[in-house]
Amino acid sequence: MAALVLAPVSALINLTSQKIHPTLYPFPLVTTLHAARISLAFQGRVRVTSGKLPFMADLTGFLLMCWGGSLLSHFLLSLPAPPLLSPLPFLNYASVHLLLSLVPSSLHPNPKFLDLSLPLLDAVLRTGAIIGGISLVASHPNTAISSSLYTQLLIGAVSSSGGGVTATTLNLWSPSWTLATPPFLKGGVVDSLDVWSGSLVAAIYGGLSGSHKGYASIVGFEPFMTPLGARTVATVVLAALYAWRAWVMHVYRPGKAARARAQGEKGKGKKAQ
């Protein structure tokens, strides 16, 4: 039964690692899909918040939302971030965003539809970022960092949530950026999911694949899965969490609010009588 679930997810992970075209567009499908997903989300928030941004503010805000987790992770580990070493990440992400910006907003998918229909794709993209963060820690030249299990879990959370936290804390979808309290400090389990799920995924992947020798003593058994197998399991878990969050945010909470309004109007009607 597990193989029926895991095999298609593994195939999807392998597919997203392929380049779109070796010469015409030599960028991995995973980063291109990530750029498209963030672009649609960012443009949706801009339309609701401010309507339209100046070109440079729009592009910069989008890139910070895309790369926030990577930039913060590399900063915390005192490592140069990929966008500072090569123009290729900029060309990849900017081209996708500019292309989608040319599409009329009326043709953009509804954010609710995207959240409810794409939890698996979102999990594939986010798990890749988390595992990339773990690799940065495991290969770090400072042995105090590379030998730290805690640092792997911390960077997992930063890699997972850095982009969203940066966007909301700086209000990047507004013409005038402002500094606000990071949303995960104000929210509950659902609103802080991007943070704690990053550490959870890092622990699942690490425990199954052996990204740190300390896992064997904690879980009581030696790692028994390949990196791909461990990533697949972690992706399925994260997809389930994303599906749950989408249901809470787009179905349960609006329904609860509607019921509360209906009860309030009913109560007012009785008082008027």
Side-chain angles (χ1 to χ4, degrees):
M1 183 64 181
L4 294 177
V5 176
L6 298 180
V9 177
S10 294
L12 178 60
I13 293 172
N14 282 327
L15 176 63
T16 58
S17 66
Q18 306 299 314
K19 289 184 177 181
I20 295 179
H21 192 279
T23 54
L24 296 179
Y25 199 75
F27 302 113
L29 180 60
V30 63
T31 56
T32 304
L33 289 174
H34 181 241
R37 184 70 175 93
I38 298 300
S39 177
L40 291 173
F42 183 78
Q43 292 185 62
R45 289 297 298 267
V46 169
R47 287 195 299 272
V48 172
T49 305
S50 58
K52 187 174 179 60
L53 293 178
F55 174 76
M56 289 304 298
D58 180 86
L59 181 59
T60 303
F62 160 72
L63 292 176
L64 285 174
M65 189 172 178
C66 288
W67 298 339
S70 176
L71 293 174
L72 288 172
S73 296
H74 283 78
F75 173 77
L76 291 173
L77 296 172
S78 298
L79 297 171
L84 302 179
L85 301 176
S86 168
L88 293 181
F90 173 79
L91 294 175
N92 185 195
Y93 279 78
S95 62
V96 172
H97 182 60
L98 294 177
L99 178 62
L100 289 177
S101 297
L102 297 176
V103 179
S105 59
S106 59
L107 298 179
H108 284 197
N110 185 285
K112 175 181 176 180
F113 170 78
L114 291 175
D115 289 344
L116 289 170
S117 60
L118 298 177
L120 179 57
L121 178 61
D122 288 343
V124 169
L125 302 177
R126 193 66 59 85
T127 304
I130 296 168
I131 295 174
I134 294 175
S135 299
L136 289 177
V137 176
S139 61
H140 200 279
N142 187 329
T143 55
I145 293 176
S146 62
S147 62
S148 173
L149 175 57
Y150 172 75
T151 305
Q152 286 195 10
L153 300 178
L154 175 63
I155 294 300
V158 173
S159 300
S160 173
S161 63
V165 169
T166 300
T168 50
T169 301
L170 296 180
N171 197 22
L172 296 180
W173 26 73
S174 170
S176 300
W177 294 0
T178 56
L179 185 62
T181 303
F184 69 89
L185 296 179
K186 300 184 292 183
V189 174
V190 175
D191 298 304
S192 62
L193 186 144
D194 280 338
V195 177
W196 60 262
S197 66
S199 293
L200 176 63
V201 165
I204 293 173
Y205 174 81
L208 295 176
S209 67
S211 67
H212 190 279
K213 60 183 180 182
Y215 280 114
S217 59
I218 294 174
V219 299
F221 56 83
E222 293 293 329
F224 62 93
M225 299 190 76
T226 64
L228 176 59
R231 178 177 175 178
T232 301
V233 173
T235 298
V236 170
V237 172
L238 190 58
L241 291 174
Y242 284 168
W244 170 69
R245 179 175 63 181
W247 176 81
V248 171
M249 295 181 64
H250 297 298
V251 179
Y252 175 74
R253 285 180 177 175
K256 184 178 180 180
R259 289 191 296 270
R261 287 194 298 269
Q263 288 291 337
E265 292 173 359
K266 185 177 180 181
K268 290 180 181 179
K270 288 182 179 181
K271 288 182 180 180
Q273 294 176 357

